[in-house]
Amino acid sequence: DTEVTQTPKHLVMGMTNKKSLKCEQHMGHRAMYWYKQKAKKPPELMFVYSYEKLSINESVPSRFSPECPNSSLLNLHLHALQPEDSALYLCASSRPYGDSSYEQYFGPGTRLTVT
Amino acid sequence: KNEVEQSPQNLTAQEGEFITINCSYSVGISALHWLQQHPGGGIVSLFMLSSGKKKHGRLIATINIQEKHSSLHITASHPRDSAVYICAVPGYYNTDKLIFGTGTRLQVFP
């Protein structure tokens, strides 16, 4: 199984809503990532979890709250978002990095629209 | 800081043509990724390579570590190859953090 799955595929939410994005992989990867991608731009890293611990937070606003319940699952909790947060949210996984580079496997993304 | 540059930014081709997309980076790396993204879609990893050449179907990726340059070739291009192709390298101080090129938007017409 070389797949990263993400749910939901599409999400429309109001600025006062609370919602969650879910990402799952069963490749035994120990690093999982959240990216945000705006139209016609490359992905921007948001968070990295390594061995279920948050290792990188790219100064993301607190209205985005990541959670890694176990090594296969990664959530992104959303609360009080702004319209400019509308984007494609991508999850990826890989083995943890040491001196070697490991390939990142990306999910299909969740297209989020904030109204 | 590693800078990643891709060329061309946009590419139009007729079906069957041979396509080359280039990627240059400024700091030595352990490996380079080539990624594909169809319009409105997620990202697919095409290759990760650290030396030489890799081939998968009609796609060929090469890398020259000394010259800090990689190329992605598509032979016998097809309209379904129309997508954005992105190269990415691991950050120098933190290899978890990929540095992405700006992407090459390819359109292949029948």
Side-chain angles (χ1 to χ4, degrees):
Chain A
D1 184 2
T2 57
E3 193 179 48
V4 176
T5 59
Q6 289 187 244
T7 54
K9 288 187 178 178
H10 300 274
L11 178 63
V12 180
M13 61 185 289
M15 289 190 284
T16 58
N17 291 160
K18 282 187 181 181
K19 296 285 184 183
S20 297
L21 309 184
K22 181 179 169 182
C23 172
E24 203 160 359
Q25 58 87 14
H26 295 286
M27 295 179 276
H29 287 170
R30 292 294 177 253
M32 295 185 78
Y33 310 75
W34 279 116
Y35 290 90
K36 173 183 177 181
Q37 188 181 27
K38 301 287 270 186
K40 299 190 178 182
K41 297 286 187 185
E44 300 171 32
L45 183 66
M46 300 175 72
F47 302 104
V48 180
Y49 273 84
S50 180
Y51 289 97
E52 301 167 44
K53 287 187 169 29
L54 184 65
S55 60
I56 296 177
N57 176 343
E58 289 288 285
S59 303
V60 179
S62 60
R63 58 185 183 268
F64 295 91
S65 175
E67 180 197 17
C68 188
N70 59 58
S71 59
S72 300
L73 192 55
L74 185 67
N75 297 320
L76 186 64
H77 302 297
L78 313 172
H79 173 54
L81 294 194
Q82 303 296 310
E84 59 265 28
D85 296 322
S86 299
L88 181 69
Y89 288 84
L90 294 159
C91 174
S93 71
S94 75
R95 280 171 286 175
Y97 282 62
D99 292 330
S100 300
S101 178
Y102 289 89
E103 188 168 9
Q104 289 193 25
Y105 291 79
F106 286 82
T110 293
R111 188 158 299 281
L112 173 68
T113 302
V114 181
T115 60
Chain B
K1 182 184 173 184
N2 210 348
E3 305 285 346
V4 180
E5 291 186 0
Q6 279 186 246
S7 62
Q9 287 191 342
N10 295 284
L11 188 52
T12 301
Q14 288 295 124
E15 184 173 356
E17 284 185 11
F18 182 84
I19 305 289
T20 295
I21 299 170
N22 296 300
C23 177
S24 297
Y25 50 92
S26 56
V27 179
I29 56 168
S30 54
L32 178 143
H33 302 252
W34 279 105
L35 309 167
Q36 179 195 56
Q37 187 170 32
H38 282 100
I43 289 177
V44 173
S45 178
L46 298 175
F47 297 102
M48 188 183 74
L49 67 166
S50 54
S51 65
K53 177 176 161 178
K54 283 191 175 180
K55 185 175 190 289
H56 185 249
R58 294 180 294 105
L59 300 177
I60 303 166
T62 62
I63 190 167
N64 185 319
I65 295 291
Q66 287 74 31
E67 293 187 5
K68 298 187 179 63
H69 180 269
S70 177
S71 293
L72 177 68
H73 306 285
I74 305 175
T75 61
S77 59
H78 190 276
R80 65 175 174 265
D81 297 326
S82 299
V84 176
Y85 293 84
I86 306 168
C87 71
V89 301
Y92 186 74
Y93 293 107
N94 189 329
T95 54
D96 263 334
K97 191 172 173 180
L98 289 179
I99 312 298
F100 294 90
T102 51
T104 294
R105 190 170 301 273
L106 171 66
Q107 283 188 294
V108 182
F109 293 99

